[in-house]
Amino acid sequence: MNYISTRGAGLGERHTFSDILLGGLAKDGGLYLPAAYPRVSADELGRWRTLSYADLAFEVLSTFADDIPADELRSLTSKTYTAQVYSNVRDEEAATQITPLKTLGVENGAPLSLLELSNGPTLAFKDMAMQLLGNLFEYTLAKHGETLNILGATSGDTGSAAEYAMRGKAGVRVFMLSPHKKMSAFQTAQMFSLQDPNIFNLAVEGNFDNCQDIVKAVSNDHAFKAQHKIGTVNSINWARVVAQVVYYFKGYFAATKSNDERVSFTVPSGNFGNVCAGHIARMMGLPIEKLVVATNENDVLDEFFRTGIYRVRGASETYHTTSPSMDISKASNFERFVFDLLGRDPARVLQLFRDVEEKGGFDLAASGDFARVKEFGFVSGRSSHADRVDAIRDVFQRYDTMIDTHTADGLKVAREHLQPGVPMVVLETAQPIKFGETIREALLREPERPAAFVGLEKLPQRFDIVPADAGVVKAYIAERTS
Ligand SMILES: *Cc1c(COP(=O)(O)O)cnc(C)c1O
């Protein structure tokens, strides 16, 4: 399979899956996509229905990563998607399913369920892709005799998912910046309790923006970046997106009895990585009725899908909410969908995303393209703090099920798009323990804590405090990588 950039540079060049695995943006600032999506035949779909998660992951990935020998890819997927790695289940019987489907009930004639994507080591859906990425990185680096130093900034979910994916992996080190004393006790303990010698937690004396600025400053020093083999694992990474395609298939099979049925998915969204994978599954031929994009108060995406206007937000318009992993000012994977929406016209994509940089957005309302959003199955909605508190309370009372704040945003919006007879699957993106404060507000009780996390906050912690100074961070990295 050949990969191309959404902005059209290097159209004549060939890029394999392995070529783009360790990188981020394409040279022209665009995002990589397959030159054409693989189509799944009815026969294949029939055969895939009964596969285990690991075997299904192999089937889906082998179409995108056809440059990795099949036996090697299979050993990577079977090592990644095990009941041991995804062991934080709430129902023991579901342990082997990796992403169990939890049925809630029937509302407005639509069977409503949650697809649990948060049973991995950090209790958030980012583990689904990041765990595979850890194994893919280790495999690829060993093959080429290379090493990689991952540098990132986190205020929570992404950093811990990256650390748990890369811990103990040969050839990889992680340098993760987080704002000192500004994460929750639970999130801090999750990251800082790791004792693996290849994981470095840097507690920066400053806020999350300071951390991000340091990462940018280091990445813009091209000589330093090359000398110290600095890389990232952010949400535009193609392998992360494609790993997420697998659970749309798995969720579809779990919610239906035959491949003649159609299913809708609701996706709590921020950077558009998760729902982009749903779009790709649909382009491959999975019978998806609707892809419902759910946002919180940071409603950049909801605004687009309602009006055709894409308007990125400044810092003063980016809100800190109680579903913080969706607090984004622009959606970094959105360009992938826009490329398909515009009939894969890289010149127009380039122009639109120049407008984003220069004018803060673009307006497709008047163009015929926006009308096509519906053909791609997309609809949207937004949720507020009061909505998510209501949803958490309602689902607990009605179905005896505790959901986290992001999943609550999804559930609230899903209910606005139910269709009689069409199963609605809401993606569960995190477990409630990660956002305990809102659970206590909604339910007046403590969130459920998986057994493996009892006493987490009391474990010894390993981290270094550094000033908000890119020079100091560079010296810290240089000392540990030469
Ligand atoms: C990252 C994250 C999201 C948003 O996913 P995107 O791929 O950025 O749209 C939603 N919920 C949780 C819990 C997350 O960690």
Side-chain angles (χ1 to χ4, degrees), residues 5 10 33 157 160 171 178 218 249 253 283 286 290 344 393 467:
S5 164
L33 272 180
D157 284 350
S160 56
S178 58
V218 175
F249 282 88
F253 295 135
M283 296 302 277
L286 188 68
K290 283 201 171 106
R344 304 199 133 210
R393 202 176 282 146

Side-chain angles (χ1 to χ4, degrees), residues 124-126 157 268-274 325-326 404 406 429-430 435:
F125 92 97
K126 291 191 173 65
D157 284 350
S269 293
N271 274 318
F272 204 77
N274 197 351
S325 300
M326 290 154 58
D404 100 290
H406 305 75
T429 55
F435 306 97

Side-chain angles (χ1 to χ4, degrees), residues 123-126 157-158 235 240 244 267-276 301 323 325-326 328 332-333 404 406-407 428-431 434-435:
L123 309 180
F125 92 97
K126 291 191 173 65
D157 284 350
T158 310
S235 81
R240 276 183 67 182
Q244 295 167 358
V267 188
S269 293
N271 274 318
F272 204 77
N274 197 351
V275 73
C276 186
L301 289 167
S323 44
S325 300
M326 290 154 58
I328 53 102
S332 53
N333 275 290
D404 100 290
H406 305 75
T407 310
E428 188 211 46
T429 55
Q431 290 206 22
K434 299 195 84 169
F435 306 97

Side-chain angles (χ1 to χ4, degrees), residues 44 47-48 51 54-64 74:
E44 266 172 320
R47 205 165 47 74
W48 289 6
L51 295 180
D55 287 343
L56 182 64
F58 167 75
E59 295 294 341
V60 171
L61 279 150
S62 62
T63 64
F64 292 99
R74 194 181 281 283

Side-chain angles (χ1 to χ4, degrees), residues 18-37:
S18 303
D19 293 338
I20 64 170
L21 174 66
L22 302 177
L25 293 174
K27 280 198 297 270
D28 58 356
L31 304 181
Y32 285 112
L33 272 180
Y37 292 117

Side-chain angles (χ1 to χ4, degrees), residues 140 181 210 227 252 266 275 340 346 388 398 400 406 422:
T140 305
K181 294 193 170 159
N210 299 134
Q227 191 191 345
Y252 171 82
T266 299
V275 73
D340 286 339
R388 70 185 71 96
R398 215 190 288 205
D400 195 23
H406 305 75
V422 181

